[in-house]
Amino acid sequence: MMMKKILFSSLFLLGSLVSQAQHEYTIEGKVEGVKDGTLVSLFLLDGNVGSTVAMDTIQNGTFFFKRNAGEDGLDKLSLMCTRNDDFPSMSLEIYATPNARIKVTGTNTLIHTWTVDSPVKEQIEYNRFIEDSHDLWDEYQRLSIKARSLRSAPEAERKALRAKEDSISALISKREMKLMQELPVSNIWMDRLYKLSMSVKYNPNFSYKDETLALYNRMNEAQKTSITGQEITVNLFPPTVVKEGDKMADTELFDLDGKIHHLTDFNGKYILLDFWSSGCGPCIMALPEMKEIQEQYKERLTIISLSSDTKSRWKAASAKHEMTWQNLSDLKQTAGLYAKYGVRGIPNYVLISPEGKIMKMWSGYGKGSLKLKMCRYLDAVKHEMSITWQGNTKVINYPVSESTNTDILEVKQVVLTDTATIVHFNAYYIPKYWIRVSPNCRLIDEKGETYTLKKAAGIKPGEHFYLPESGEAEFSLTFEPLSSSVQSFNFTEGTEQNDWQINGVKLNK
């Protein structure tokens, strides 16, 4: 009887080993012109997120990986040498399936164009795109390596290099679109279209929007309704993005058990939307603070985390990180609510009133920042605008403003004298992080007249100003005196996208 048990166990173990071996693939690298000791990292790409799954060190020009393929039988991988200035800030894309024996060869550090010899059909198709622009990709990588050495160079030199990179990138896009006109639509083809659609969305100088739209029209309805197809669609045809003051955007949201929810289910309390991903370090760093907020404000606030991960990755991340609040997903990655709320970077937060109106939207996290936001918007005393006179001096407390592109600065008080206009600000930001006020900031009245900065108190324009532990501070800026007939003014740092603007600051009720 004991012999039979041993025999059965041995056969079971042998069967398991055979089954495991049938799912394995190997990646064998043989490269020249690369220093021994170079660290090679292998990332598994899942949706918009990548995670390190293996590392090896190049010795005698060789490296080697052996892995089991994922459940769907196709792994999309990225090979990188991230800690070496001899390499460009790029990667080698590899597709792997069970039993595949993949060989990687190269004769230099231009990793993006190393040769991948593979039987995997997706790799063969991907290789066509790389080979079609091999010369341009090599030139682009050389510029990327050069950019590493110019990190401390003058801005003009770095700007010229970026212009060269953009020019080459445009030529690559042109060649890829020509090739895409000839090839059938496939997953690899759609990945290339996704990259083109990102250029249409984010690059105002991209010249091939019409050509990209023509390629989009080659997809059938099933391809357009796939996750990648939907992401391409929202890039090329952006939905109406909600903004502060609007009614919240809503859709079907799923919990981990598959039950459907809507944001309107949580009306009656404040709602804090947390747009996150398992591959976002600051998103994960924020979780303990979110738990504290959830406990502190549980009678008044509902926190809803919305994942942009694939379904499998979202479930795995949720099992790893304790989330005692609502943890939902529309299962559309960045093509659903992410697009409707205009999310470009995560973590991204949206505070919604009990009536379903968007109060505040912001991105980024630093320790203490969420507590500061909740204290400011849920606990703060609401101030009414008031006007007092002290002789010939007019004092406007908490003046109303029409619009602003920042919630870091708030105009607390405006003092109007015959010789100066003094604007007192409250500043709110991540504790111990810095802000900076431009020395070129100015006031502009409703007639277009400009009033220049004369002096500052509590802050030095042009220099870093670090917020205290509380995340709150006060300072004042003194400008030329406004004309007596002025009814409102704009505070502006300039015309750049990130310059602070507070428009329509009222001087009368």
Side-chain angles (χ1 to χ4, degrees):
M1 181 64 73
M2 182 62 70
M3 182 61 71
K4 288 183 178 180
K5 287 183 178 180
I6 293 173
L7 180 60
F8 176 79
S9 298
S10 298
L11 290 172
F12 180 80
L13 177 61
L14 179 62
S16 299
L17 292 173
V18 170
S19 176
Q20 180 177 335
Q22 289 175 342
H23 287 86
E24 285 180 348
Y25 57 82
T26 60
I27 302 172
E28 181 181 355
K30 182 66 177 178
V31 293
E32 302 172 13
V34 179
K35 297 175 183 175
D36 276 359
T38 298
L39 183 66
V40 183
S41 299
L42 190 67
F43 294 83
L44 178 64
L45 304 177
D46 186 8
N48 298 305
V49 180
S51 55
T52 306
V53 292
M55 290 189 289
D56 195 13
T57 302
I58 294 178
Q59 297 294 341
N60 298 319
T62 65
F63 59 88
F64 184 80
F65 298 104
K66 179 187 286 187
R67 295 194 73 251
N68 286 328
E71 292 181 3
D72 63 358
L74 176 66
D75 283 0
K76 184 178 179 181
L77 303 154
S78 178
L79 191 74
M80 301 183 74
C81 297
T82 54
R83 303 176 189 174
N84 195 318
D85 284 351
D86 293 336
F87 283 79
S89 301
M90 301 180 71
S91 65
L92 177 68
E93 203 158 298
I94 299 175
Y95 295 83
T97 54
N99 299 314
R101 299 293 176 261
I102 301 165
K103 293 186 178 180
V104 175
T105 56
T107 57
N108 49 42
T109 61
L110 306 182
I111 189 170
H112 191 64
T113 47
W114 283 355
T115 300
V116 181
D117 184 8
S118 168
V120 179
K121 66 181 182 64
E122 286 83 0
Q123 187 72 57
I124 294 170
E125 184 178 352
Y126 176 80
N127 288 350
R128 273 196 78 176
F129 283 98
I130 297 299
E131 286 304 314
D132 196 54
S133 299
H134 196 294
D135 57 329
L136 294 175
W137 279 122
D138 280 355
E139 187 176 353
Y140 188 91
Q141 289 181 93
R142 292 187 188 98
L143 290 174
S144 177
I145 294 171
K146 185 177 180 180
R148 287 178 178 269
S149 66
L150 295 179
R151 282 177 289 207
S152 301
E155 173 61 24
E157 191 172 351
R158 289 183 282 124
K159 186 176 181 180
L161 185 63
R162 288 196 297 269
K164 289 182 181 179
E165 290 177 326
D166 291 343
S167 175
I168 295 170
S169 181
L171 292 174
I172 292 171
S173 295
K174 186 175 181 179
R175 285 192 191 177
E176 288 193 346
M177 287 186 290
K178 185 175 185 301
L179 184 59
M180 291 170 71
Q181 292 166 1
E182 303 167 2
L183 294 175
V185 177
S186 65
N187 289 337
I188 300 298
W189 188 99
M190 290 175 64
D191 284 345
R192 310 314 287 182
L193 183 59
Y194 173 74
K195 290 182 172 64
L196 290 170
S197 73
M198 292 288 281
S199 295
V200 171
K201 181 176 182 178
Y202 292 113
N203 183 0
N205 299 318
F206 188 68
S207 305
Y208 305 112
K209 181 177 180 179
D210 291 342
E211 292 85 345
T212 303
L213 291 173
L215 290 170
Y216 173 83
N217 289 326
R218 289 193 59 200
M219 293 193 297
N220 59 37
E221 286 307 308
Q223 290 161 340
K224 288 179 180 178
T225 55
S226 68
I227 293 296
T228 302
Q230 290 183 67
E231 291 181 320
I232 293 169
T233 300
V234 298
N235 285 340
L236 296 179
F237 309 99
T240 300
V241 175
V242 292
K243 58 185 183 299
E244 291 179 7
D246 289 348
K247 183 179 178 181
M248 65 183 179
D250 203 353
T251 190
E252 285 190 347
L253 297 165
F254 301 86
D255 62 24
L256 292 168
D257 297 322
K259 183 179 177 181
I260 296 176
H261 303 264
H262 293 85
L263 295 182
T264 52
D265 298 340
F266 306 99
N267 277 353
K269 291 184 178 182
Y270 291 96
I271 298 172
L272 178 65
L273 300 183
D274 160 44
F275 293 90
W276 75 292
S277 163
S278 60
C280 164
C283 298
I284 304 305
M285 288 169 56
L287 297 182
E289 190 170 329
M290 290 176 65
K291 184 177 181 180
E292 293 180 37
I293 291 170
Q294 191 264 339
E295 287 297 319
Q296 182 178 352
Y297 294 96
K298 59 185 176 183
E299 302 300 327
R300 303 165 55 200
L301 176 70
T302 299
I303 299 176
I304 304 175
S305 286
L306 299 172
S307 173
S308 62
D309 287 338
T310 61
K311 185 176 182 180
S312 59
R313 192 175 185 94
W314 169 47
K315 288 191 172 185
S318 298
K320 182 177 180 182
H321 303 288
E322 182 185 15
M323 302 173 75
T324 56
W325 50 90
Q326 296 293 329
N327 178 19
L328 308 175
S329 172
D330 60 12
L331 304 181
K332 294 184 178 181
Q333 295 180 43
T334 60
L337 280 188
Y338 271 67
K340 291 181 180 180
Y341 280 90
V343 176
R344 293 194 174 192
I346 53 176
N348 188 274
Y349 303 99
V350 179
L351 183 63
I352 299 170
S353 75
E355 298 75 36
K357 292 288 184 71
I358 297 171
M359 295 173 58
K360 288 294 173 183
M361 310 172 78
W362 71 93
S363 60
Y365 172 77
K367 187 176 180 181
S369 63
L370 290 177
K371 291 180 181 178
L372 178 66
K373 294 284 187 182
M374 295 305 100
C375 179
R376 182 180 177 190
Y377 295 120
L378 270 62
D379 295 338
V381 177
K382 295 187 182 299
H383 296 281
E384 294 290 334
M385 178 179 173
S386 65
I387 299 174
T388 61
W389 288 87
Q390 300 170 6
N392 292 328
T393 298
K394 184 178 182 180
V395 179
I396 304 97
N397 298 300
Y398 296 99
V400 174
S401 58
E402 293 178 351
S403 66
T404 177
N405 70 346
T406 175
D407 67 347
I408 295 175
L409 294 186
E410 172 189 70
V411 178
K412 178 182 179 181
Q413 186 183 77
V414 178
V415 179
L416 303 177
T417 74
D418 294 336
T419 58
T421 302
I422 307 168
V423 183
H424 295 270
F425 291 92
N426 286 334
Y428 306 90
Y429 200 49
I430 300 169
K432 297 184 178 180
Y433 279 54
W434 61 266
I435 62 173
R436 183 168 55 196
V437 174
S438 170
N440 299 317
C441 66
R442 57 197 180 277
L443 305 184
I444 302 175
D445 68 22
E446 68 265 27
K447 298 177 182 178
E449 292 294 325
T450 299
Y451 305 82
T452 58
L453 178 67
K454 293 300 183 182
K455 64 178 182 178
I459 194 170
K460 292 184 178 179
E463 296 186 11
H464 291 178
F465 175 77
Y466 288 86
L467 274 291
E469 195 72 54
S470 66
E472 301 179 37
E474 294 184 21
F475 63 88
S476 66
L477 301 176
T478 299
F479 300 87
E480 294 176 310
L482 292 173
S483 299
S484 59
S485 60
V486 171
Q487 300 295 311
S488 67
F489 66 82
N490 299 339
F491 167 79
T492 177
E493 287 192 305
T495 58
E496 295 297 322
Q497 183 177 358
N498 294 324
D499 285 345
W500 283 330
Q501 313 285 339
I502 303 177
N503 297 322
V505 180
K506 305 295 184 184
L507 300 179
N508 292 294
K509 288 187 177 182

